[in-house]
Amino acid sequence: MDVLLPRSLEEALALKAERPEAIPLAGGTDLMVELNFGRLRPAAIIDLTRVSQLATHHQENGDVFLGAGLTYAAIVKELPDFKPLVQASRSVGSPQIRHRGTVGGNLGTASPAGDALPVLAAYDADVVLRSQARGERSLPWHAFLRGPKKTALAADELILGTRWKRLRGPGSFSKIGTRNAMVIAVAGLCLVVDEDGRRVNVALGSVGPTIIRASQAEAQIASVMGSSGAWQDPSTTVPDQAIDEFAELVASAARPLDDVRGTAAYRRHGCRVLARRALTWSLNERRLPTWL
Ligand SMILES: Cc1cc2nc3c(=O)[nH]c(=O)nc-3n(C[C@H](O)[C@H](O)[C@H](O)COP(=O)(O)OP(=O)(O)OC[C@H]3O[C@@H](n4cnc5c(N)ncnc54)[C@H](O)[C@@H]3O)c2cc1C
């Protein structure tokens, strides 16, 4: 097996153009598992860890760009304002995994249980890709994630990162597993409130073949908050019945399966509980806006 060691993005893209069969390696926390279990034996690996351009983040004209090579540990340290992303990052694996694992790797693996993915879906993020031959292109998260472990990445492309419009409002990420740490989610949920767009975005992980947005629930709660005056005045109480209806609609958006980690019924129930909690936290936070 050839191990290719580019030192810049240009060099990495040139190598990918020359050797489209070469598999990129970021933290290796997914890829090395495949190699160690003998499920994958690529002819070549392109190790991206020396490509510093991938491990950056910046904000411009209200947009946030998160480089594919940023590790979860770096996100926790450097992006404290992005609470749902930080909460998801903190929930990944162990400190060792968080120091190696990257959001680009989470996107590349495209597991329905990838913890960064519901956050990117709730932010309505685009995935930014580049090839030497065709340059850069951006795809909405749902066009990039084509199915379980399937993406729209072309053989000569690399993931540069992900970009989204910065939203003003509270939000959270939470997940259910068989224990509190080092656990693959049985169900995961990210909820973000967009105060300016008067929307509540909800994305679910681990309860379908890929990440799911609960659009009916989003429409229901945005409308209740409109008719009750809660958008204008955060101290307005949103009736419990509306919160229950919202949680029910989120649960009905899930498309779970029975597997070794949990039954479909448990997963759906988990979504209901996570949705109720996440909405309640955000409504409470709107009354004491720490996110401003
Ligand atoms: C013990 C353990 C615990 C874990 N716990 C969790 C958890 O709690 N939550 C969770 O979501 N995941 C978890 N994972 C999975 C893994 O850590 C994450 O999916 C992580 O984000 C992968 O990132 P990486 O940089 O290590 O990816 P890698 O293993 O390097 O790569 C993964 C895939 O992405 C591709 N890729 C990476 N970067 C690029 C790029 N720039 N361009 C194109 N393709 C690219 C690779 O070719 C490969 O196909 C765990 C893994 C282990 C081993």
Side-chain angles (χ1 to χ4, degrees):
M1 185 194 307
D2 297 330
V3 179
L4 311 170
L5 303 174
R7 289 180 185 275
S8 68
L9 183 58
E10 291 63 39
E11 211 186 322
L13 290 167
L15 286 169
K16 198 72 179 98
E18 223 173 87
R19 305 275 309 260
E21 79 289 0
I23 307 235
L25 177 139
T29 60
D30 276 326
L31 194 60
M32 293 311 294
V33 176
E34 295 301 296
L35 261 72
N36 290 343
F37 280 99
R39 293 196 285 253
L40 193 71
R41 203 69 201 159
I45 279 181
I46 304 184
D47 181 351
L48 299 174
T49 47
R50 288 161 186 78
V51 181
S52 57
Q53 292 107 308
L54 290 176
T56 55
H57 59 87
H58 56 263
Q59 294 185 46
E60 213 172 61
N61 303 327
D63 282 351
V64 185
F65 178 82
L66 193 75
L70 267 189
T71 64
Y72 298 108
I75 289 171
V76 170
K77 203 166 143 205
E78 294 171 28
L79 291 158
D81 291 350
F82 296 87
K83 195 171 116 193
L85 184 65
V86 167
Q87 288 174 327
S89 300
R90 273 215 192 95
S91 85
V92 172
S94 61
Q96 293 90 335
I97 297 294
R98 293 195 286 274
H99 273 87
R100 294 286 313 179
T102 63
V103 171
N106 219 224
L107 282 163
T109 297
S111 157
D115 286 322
L117 306 182
V119 181
L120 299 180
Y123 286 154
D124 253 334
D126 285 340
V127 182
V128 186
L129 310 170
R130 191 185 289 176
S131 69
Q132 192 185 45
R134 297 178 308 286
E136 203 166 299
R137 64 175 179 139
S138 287
L139 292 177
W141 65 271
H142 48 86
F144 178 78
L145 298 173
R146 287 214 168 138
K149 307 214 167 174
K150 283 204 189 86
T151 73
L153 187 72
D156 62 347
E157 278 179 324
L158 290 174
I159 305 167
L160 289 197
T162 158
R163 185 180 287 121
W164 67 88
K165 186 172 154 298
R166 186 168 184 170
L167 303 179
R168 208 173 53 84
S172 64
F173 168 85
S174 42
K175 80 186 196 190
I176 291 175
T178 44
R179 55 187 183 187
N180 265 346
M182 275 291 285
V183 73
I184 302 178
V186 172
L189 179 143
C190 180
L191 179 150
V192 294
V193 178
D194 172 5
E195 294 288 342
D196 301 315
R198 297 198 165 173
R199 292 187 49 87
V200 177
N201 297 349
V202 188
L204 300 169
S206 273
V207 292
T210 184
I211 307 304
I212 295 168
R213 278 279 292 267
S215 5
Q216 273 188 301
E218 293 178 359
Q220 174 262 355
I221 198 64
S223 146
V224 168
M225 288 172 71
S227 54
S228 64
W231 284 121
Q232 297 88 322
D233 177 4
S235 68
T236 306
T237 304
V238 173
D240 268 357
Q241 195 199 337
I243 298 177
D244 286 341
E245 270 166 26
F246 167 79
E248 207 48 57
L249 286 170
V250 170
S252 64
R255 288 190 281 139
L257 293 174
D258 290 330
D259 74 9
V260 286
R261 283 182 280 130
T263 61
Y266 177 66
R267 286 187 148 105
R268 207 180 280 288
H269 176 65
C271 290
R272 193 177 292 118
V273 173
L274 290 175
R276 197 174 207 298
R277 280 186 198 156
L279 181 61
T280 307
W281 290 330
S282 277
L283 293 174
N284 288 342
E285 254 186 82
R286 290 182 79 235
R287 294 190 189 104
L288 300 163
T290 49
W291 42 266
L292 277 178

